Structure formats: structure tokens, C-alpha cells
Amino acid sequence: MAKRRKLIVGNWKLHGSIAGNQHLLQQLRLNLKALDAVDFALCLPYVYLFQGQQLLAGSNILWGSQNVSQFEEGAYTSCISAAMIAEFGCRFVIVGHSERRLLRLDSYEVIATKLLRALACGLTPIYCVGETQQERDAGMAEVVIRQQLLNMLNALDDEALACAKSLNIVVAYEPVWAIGTGLHANPQQAQSMHVLIRQLISTRDLALAQQVRILYGGSLTADNAYDMLSMPDIDGGLLGRSSLDAEAFTQVALIANSLA
């Protein structure tokens, strides 16, 4: 089996400004241009996708959206469809992030539909799974991850499965208790969850399980990136606050590149 190429993704969340974005993107483009053993992407707010397309085109940094609508078109005020996102040259779209599940009450059914909309428009979904502190304390972490992942796998009919494989679908394990808290799973905890995720995917399709890149998210920084990214089933990272600082993102990128 070929070694999976690592992927480092930045999720800007509700951050950004036209002037600030320009400085950050230009700096990252410069910092990362010589790193050719790792893939990079930034998931931007909708309103900055055009700017991202203009500033990142021709670089080794891909870009994407943080969300997508479950609807294709119609009277759905403020919704943004997968086809619209694709027009901005996006490669990736984050689907089912815990902040969407918790704050916007995205149901498993809605998340599965978003996944299929993204695939149909040629976008690579970054499908997020992760347990809360309460679920982990109750010994339910693996049960929760299993339920979230089966929601994705059950949505994939043969045609969608073929799309998922050709588009190199990504899964991100983000323990909710570690997002933005400064806490993080230790490397062994994270590796264990990544192994579980890969094993579950293998029950649907072995080839997909071997190729899928599983990222760790949740306070991933330069301080813990080496230990995390050294784990055999951790194929990269989904960074939040570290993606808003060119130096912080670059340090994680350098570590990932050194491990390739």
C-alpha cells in the first residue's frame, strides 16, 4: 500500500478581513512554496472564497469552504450550495463540524445530505467526527464516533462511494473537548481513535479505508504536532487558531513535511 500523503488544513472559522487575509495568504504562500511532500489547504468564510481563489491560484495551497447547504437551489435564504462553492475553485468543504452540530443543530440526516451534495459537485468533503467531554467521561467516545461514522458510510451508495474514492474523501477526528480549549488528546488516544475510524471504514470498503486521510484536530500546534503526526494512522491535521498565524501554521507544516 502506498504511503498516504499528509494533509494540513486550516479552518479560519469566523475570522478574517480583506486586508488581514491578503497579508496572511501572501505570507503563507511564500513560507510553504518549498514544501512539496505535504498537501495544504485553507477553509475560508464564504465571503472570502473569491479573495482566496485570487491569491492562492498557482500556489501549492488549496482552498475550500467551512460548510455547504443541504439544498441544491430554491427559496433558502442565506444558504450556499455546493455548486456555488465549486465555482470558486474550491477543492475541499468541511462537513459536520462539531460547532455546526452543537450551535446550528445540524442533524445526522442533514450532514449526510451535505456530504452527498459536495461529492456530486466534485468537492472533497472533510467529514468531522468527535465526542464531547461528557461522552468521553461516560465511556461513550467510541460509540459516538461509530454512530457518526456510520452516518457517513450508510449515506454512500455505490455511485457516491466511487466519488468518495476518486475525490479522496477526508475524515477529521476532532474531540469536541479539545477544540479551542488548549487541551488535546495524547498521541496514543488519538491514534487509537484513528485506528477505530479506519477499521469502521474498512467494513464498507477496504480500498477506501486504506486511502482515506484521517486528520487530527483539536488544539494541534507546533508543540504537539511532531508527536501527533508521527502516529501511523494520523495523516495530518485540521488547525483552528494556528491557521490564523502564518508562523504557527508554517511550523506545523514544516513538521509534517519532515515526517513525509
Side-chain angles (χ1 to χ4, degrees), residues 174-200:
E174 288 199 302
V176 179
W177 48 270
I179 298 176
T181 64
L183 301 174
H184 56 85
N186 65 49
Q188 291 72 32
Q189 286 175 320
Q191 166 66 9
S192 176
M193 280 298 193
H194 284 233
V195 169
L196 173 66
I197 291 167
R198 203 173 301 281
Q199 289 174 340
L200 288 170

Side-chain angles (χ1 to χ4, degrees), residues 71-150:
F71 303 114
E72 293 182 278
E73 63 179 6
Y76 304 107
T77 299
S78 84
C79 293
I80 307 294
S81 73
M84 293 174 180
I85 292 169
E87 286 195 312
F88 289 94
C90 292
R91 168 71 180 276
F92 295 102
V93 59
I94 298 175
V95 176
H97 193 280
S98 63
E99 290 163 355
R100 292 287 312 179
R101 296 197 309 265
L102 295 173
L103 301 177
R104 306 302 296 175
L105 303 182
D106 281 2
S107 68
Y108 284 160
E109 180 181 8
V110 165
I111 293 168
T113 303
K114 291 181 176 186
L115 174 82
L116 297 177
R117 298 291 188 224
L119 290 171
C121 287
L123 297 167
T124 296
I126 300 174
Y127 185 84
C128 297
V129 300
E131 79 283 2
T132 65
Q133 185 68 63
Q134 291 78 10
E135 290 164 341
R136 173 164 282 275
D137 290 344
M140 296 291 291
E142 292 190 4
V143 173
V144 170
I145 299 304
R146 186 182 301 272
Q147 181 181 17
Q148 292 170 346
L149 202 62
L150 289 178

Side-chain angles (χ1 to χ4, degrees), residues 18 21 25 44-57 63-64 84-85 87-90:
I18 291 176
N21 298 348
L25 294 177
L44 313 178
Y46 293 133
V47 294
Y48 299 131
L49 289 177
F50 179 74
Q51 185 185 28
Q53 181 182 33
Q54 294 298 301
L55 293 176
L56 295 176
W63 58 95
M84 293 174 180
I85 292 169
E87 286 195 312
F88 289 94
C90 292

Side-chain angles (χ1 to χ4, degrees), residues 18-49:
I18 291 176
N21 298 348
Q22 180 168 349
H23 175 76
L24 176 56
L25 294 177
Q26 289 175 338
Q27 189 63 53
L28 285 174
R29 182 169 178 148
L30 179 65
N31 290 358
L32 304 181
K33 68 178 182 178
L35 305 184
D36 58 4
V38 178
D39 292 329
F40 305 106
L42 296 171
C43 289
L44 313 178
Y46 293 133
V47 294
Y48 299 131
L49 289 177

